[in-house]
Structure formats: C-alpha cells, structure tokens
Amino acid sequence: MKKAGKTIGFVPTMGYLHEGHLSLVRHSKKKCDVTVVSIFVNPTQFSPSEDFNGYPRDLERDSKILESEGVDFLYLPSKEEIYHQNFQTYVNVEFVTKSLEGEFRPTHFRGVTTIVLILFNCVQPDFAFFGQKDAQQLAVIKQMVKDLKLRVEIVTCPIVRERDGLAMSSRNVYLSTTERKDATVLYKSLQTAKNLISSGERKVSFILSEMDDLYSSISSAQIDYIKIVEACTFEIVDELMVDKEYFVLVACRIGKTRLIDNIIISA
Ligand code: PAJ
C-alpha cells in the first residue's frame, strides 16, 4: 500500500476500546488512506504490583467496533511475537520520563517507548495518533521520535470525556457506583485551576492548594500528584508566565483504581 503511494495511519492501543480510542481512529481515517489499529496489552509497561493480569480485555467486542468504524487492519501481535525468548533491547528516554508518572511508575515509560518503537517498525506508519489524555506519554513519544529520527509524524488528539467531565479510560470499569461519582473530582479540580488562572492567579502553590482542598472531602481519593508543568519541557514551575502554555496534571487513586487527567492552559 505504501508502494502504491497510500498514507498509513496507526492507532496503537491496549484495547477495551471506548470513545477516546475511537476518536483517534476517526482522526486517522480522516487524514490517512489506510488505518491500522493495534491491540496489545504490553507487559513491560506494567510493574509487578500493577494490573497487567486484571487489565480489562474484550477482543470480540473490540474487533466488532473497529469493523463498524471501517478500520482497515487490526494488528494483534502475541506476547511471544513481540518479546521473544532472548529479547534484550529497550528504549529509554531520559529527562521527560523522570517526573510525575515516571516518579510513581519508574519502569513504565521504558516499556511504553520500547513497545511503541517495535509497533512503529512493524506497521511503518506515516502518521501515528495519540491522545492528550496521556500527556506525558505523548511528550515522551515525541521526544523519542525526534531523538531517533523516526520517519513518522505524531498527531495529538484531544481528551474525550464523559458528560460529567470524567476522562474516558479503560480503567473506569473498575470503579464502583460511589467511586464513579467520586472520580469526577479530578476534572472538577482541573476546572478550579483553569478558573483561578483565567481570573489572573499566577502563583502555582496557591492554585495547587485550592485544587487539593477539593479532594479532602472525598474519602476514596488518594492523590499521587497534582502539578503544573511547562507544556514543551514538562518542567515543574512555581510561577506562571503570561503567554506561555502549561499542563495542569493530576494522578489520583479512587479506591484501588489509579486515574490520570490533565488540561492545557495558557496564563
Ligand atoms: P491505551 O491506554 O489503550 O490508550 C491508547 C491511546 O488512546 C493513547 O494514545 C491514549 O492517550 C488514547 N486515549 C485513551 N483515553 C483517551 C481519552 N479519554 N481521550 C483521548 N484519547 C484517549 O496508551 C496506551 O494504551 C499504551 O501506553 C500504548 C501507547 C498503546 C503503548 O502500549
């Protein structure tokens, strides 16, 4: 297909598809001649204490959905095909992986970059589509593409949310009814930050403590981090500067379910 001059769009996923994933598929279908989706629950990006075994899977449902979306190819590599017996090569992006998710999940990004590079090599896409939902993952992948001079263009797609603001995630199925309600605190806290910043607040410590207050009344919530970082470098900042872009990011456990969310803002 490439030889015939067709552009290949690629959407890597771990399956259990929702509207967030499908928005990436639709972006790819719009931009590219051929769309490839992969489903692979990647063991190397989970630490031993994380939910690799319990990660939700429903291949039959996923393939039907992708078929009805008009996806051209579904790539389903096996664990053995990707990580053969003598596998020993990993990709490590340095600085941008250190903070935030990298601090709480130290081996996570090494697994992500390794699998994404392998999938890029197998699929050889012209464009690859990723969600802003995983803002740091996107920054890490963009860094890898730049540093290793990969011949693929990364396309960023906006976060798709439920009606009450909760960012869609395959892990939302873990939430009980009460936890599902509690989980709206992530988006509410991001909106609080946005409102404070648009009314002129520039002091990061004040913004973070106002956000933090919202979580104190929710007993199921345990914050891993709430941070504001400079959008390009992912460096943590104390004071916001006019005309610069930032991410406000949260990672919080609601009961046993770890959720992440973010918004982009300019001060
Ligand atoms: P997964 O969590 O399945 O997500 C696949 C893609 O869907 C990612 O680019 C993610 O950012 C995007 N996505 C998830 N929820 C979204 C939402 N609510 N709105 C918009 N996009 C959303 O991310 C991974 O898998 C893996 O780390 C992977 C890149 C496939 C490597 O294993």
Side-chain angles (χ1 to χ4, degrees):
M1 286 180 165
K2 284 191 97 157
K3 272 188 194 145
K6 294 196 168 155
T7 52
I8 316 289
F10 178 41
V11 181
T13 81
M14 299 203 299
Y16 214 72
L17 304 176
H18 51 67
E19 282 296 316
H21 296 116
L22 298 184
S23 76
L24 310 188
V25 167
R26 290 169 198 148
H27 275 96
S28 172
K29 295 248 330 157
K30 215 179 215 176
K31 195 173 176 75
C32 304
D33 299 320
V34 179
T35 292
V36 183
V37 175
S38 66
I39 298 179
F40 180 67
V41 185
N42 173 38
T44 61
Q45 70 189 76
F46 292 80
S47 79
S49 63
E50 290 178 350
D51 56 344
F52 173 72
N53 286 323
Y55 195 84
R57 293 159 167 92
D58 191 344
L59 250 182
E60 207 172 305
R61 176 178 158 272
D62 286 351
S63 14
K64 277 192 194 131
I65 294 174
L66 293 175
E67 209 174 331
S68 69
E69 289 289 327
V71 163
D72 301 284
F73 294 95
L74 170 56
Y75 180 39
L76 293 170
S78 68
K79 214 162 94 182
E80 294 68 32
E81 189 180 343
I82 299 289
Y83 298 110
H84 60 86
Q85 244 183 4
N86 189 29
F87 187 90
Q88 46 186 304
T89 307
Y90 292 87
V91 181
N92 210 21
V93 173
E94 296 286 330
F95 301 113
V96 68
T97 59
K98 291 288 179 273
S99 60
L100 307 159
E101 287 302 286
E103 204 178 315
F104 286 86
R105 308 180 72 191
T107 57
H108 172 66
F109 285 124
R110 174 185 188 255
V112 169
T113 41
T114 302
I115 189 62
V116 169
L117 181 58
I118 294 170
L119 294 170
F120 282 176
N121 282 335
C122 295
V123 175
Q124 298 188 32
D126 300 289
F127 299 92
F129 298 80
F130 290 87
Q132 190 56 55
K133 158 88 185 345
D134 300 276
Q136 195 177 9
Q137 168 171 280
L138 240 172
V140 171
I141 289 167
K142 282 184 180 163
Q143 189 69 44
M144 172 180 76
V145 167
K146 187 176 173 202
D147 292 349
L148 300 183
K149 302 179 175 34
L150 304 182
R151 291 165 70 166
V152 57
E153 189 178 312
I154 303 300
V155 184
T156 303
C157 305
I159 301 178
V160 178
R161 300 178 178 282
E162 302 284 358
R163 287 173 79 123
D164 60 5
L166 178 68
M168 290 200 181
S169 163
S170 306
R171 289 190 169 102
N172 290 350
V173 293
Y174 295 151
L175 299 167
S176 70
T177 317
T178 337
E179 287 172 346
R180 172 65 187 77
K181 280 190 199 127
D182 290 351
T184 55
V185 69
L186 278 86
Y187 185 62
K188 282 184 196 143
S189 71
L190 294 172
Q191 290 306 110
T192 298
K194 190 178 170 191
N195 293 337
L196 283 169
I197 294 160
S198 53
S199 62
E201 184 58 55
R202 297 285 173 267
K203 209 162 182 293
V204 169
S205 60
F206 181 75
I207 300 165
L208 297 184
S209 83
E210 291 293 297
M211 292 174 75
D212 199 273
D213 282 351
L214 296 179
Y215 292 78
S216 52
S217 60
I218 295 170
S219 59
S220 68
Q222 241 194 322
I223 299 168
D224 274 355
Y225 59 78
I226 307 181
K227 297 271 189 229
I228 301 186
V229 301
E230 209 264 315
C232 297
T233 59
F234 256 74
E235 270 166 37
I236 290 162
V237 291
D238 297 328
E239 185 106 22
L240 305 181
M241 298 208 302
V242 179
D243 289 339
K244 279 193 95 173
E245 285 204 317
Y246 299 93
F247 285 119
V248 187
L249 305 120
V250 280
C252 177
R253 275 164 291 142
I254 302 288
K256 288 202 169 90
T257 309
R258 190 172 185 281
L259 302 175
I260 58 171
D261 199 354
N262 69 85
I263 48 165
I264 189 157
I265 43 126
S266 53

